[in-house]
Structure formats: structure tokens, C-alpha cells
Amino acid sequence: MSAVPRSEKPAGRFRRMMDRLSSTQEDLESEELREDTATAGCTRIGACQDRQIVTVTGTLRTVTLRPRAGVPALEAELFDGSAALDVVWLGRRSIVGIEPGRKLIASGRISMSRGRRVLFNPKYELRPLGRE
């Protein structure tokens, strides 16, 4: 076995085809999301640090209404293929277009809450439905 991991080796057409055939649907979707992050020029969620100002992109996995300190808060989990991030809009019960499966770009300052990355009240841009 060589010292270079498989992911860093240049892959031929046959190797790429075999890798795609042997990968799960979740692996393929994660790879596509990582490629979208790179092409959009956004920061990978897995690379985000506490108190860093970032622009991230991904797909919303879940959207829930969860009050925080008596104030309504719309929470969504954003996944980009590398890690997940909680996006929270304080004082909102719903936002048109914010729904599971929707892709978006969000900007703001990352904070850590209970060991998870959180983005409060971010600037956001919904990705066109035709691109999904």
C-alpha cells in the first residue's frame, strides 16, 4: 500500500466510476454539497471556528420552532457535507422559503452553544429551486 491516501491520489475514469457505484446515496450527496461549497467560495462548516465571521452554504435538514428564553425562535440545521450548523432566527415563527431540503447561503458570526456551531440571525440568500 502506498503512503498517499486514496482520496489524494489522482483517480482515473474507471476508479471514479467504481467509487460512485460503491458509495451510498448519503456519501454522494455529501460530496456534491462539498463541491457546491467550494464553487460558491464559501467556508466549509467543519472548518468554522468560534467567533469567526463566515459565509457558508448547504442544505437545510430540519426546520423547527423552538422558543429560547420565552422568545419564539425558528431553528434550522444547515449541512454542507463536512459538518452541520444550527441557524437560528430569533423572534420569528416562520420564514417563507425556509423549509427542509432547501439550499441557502448564510453569513454571520459563528458561536458555540452546547458544543454545536450556531449562527444567530444571519444574512441569508435562498438558492434557486431549479439548481437543486
Side-chain angles (χ1 to χ4, degrees):
M1 204 103 203
S2 67
V4 180
R6 178 187 270 185
S7 62
E8 295 179 17
K9 286 184 181 178
R13 184 179 296 170
F14 182 72
R15 168 64 63 198
R16 286 192 307 265
M17 182 180 72
M18 291 305 294
D19 285 345
R20 288 189 66 81
L21 289 174
S22 63
S23 297
T24 65
Q25 184 66 25
E26 185 176 325
D27 291 339
L28 294 174
E29 289 172 1
S30 293
E31 179 62 30
E32 184 179 320
L33 288 170
R34 285 190 294 271
E35 289 173 5
D36 285 349
T37 299
T39 58
C42 296
T43 306
R44 284 184 12 251
I45 293 174
C48 295
Q49 301 295 320
D50 190 25
R51 307 294 301 153
Q52 180 182 8
I53 296 175
V54 297
T55 299
V56 294
T57 186
T59 300
L60 295 175
R61 283 184 169 174
T62 61
V63 178
T64 57
L65 177 62
R66 183 172 299 148
R68 287 181 174 250
V71 177
L74 185 65
E75 287 190 16
E77 182 184 59
L78 184 69
F79 181 70
D80 75 345
S82 67
L85 166 80
D86 291 333
V87 183
V88 179
W89 289 274
L90 297 171
R92 302 297 299 263
R93 294 185 188 279
S94 67
I95 299 174
V96 175
I98 300 296
E99 55 196 26
R102 188 71 189 254
K103 293 184 180 182
L104 65 86
I105 297 173
S107 301
R109 186 178 302 272
I110 296 288
S111 63
M112 297 297 282
S113 176
R114 299 183 185 129
R116 291 185 53 95
R117 294 173 184 91
V118 182
L119 197 55
F120 287 100
N121 296 323
K123 294 180 190 173
Y124 67 95
E125 174 185 332
L126 295 171
R127 305 285 296 272
L129 290 172
R131 294 192 60 199
E132 294 184 17

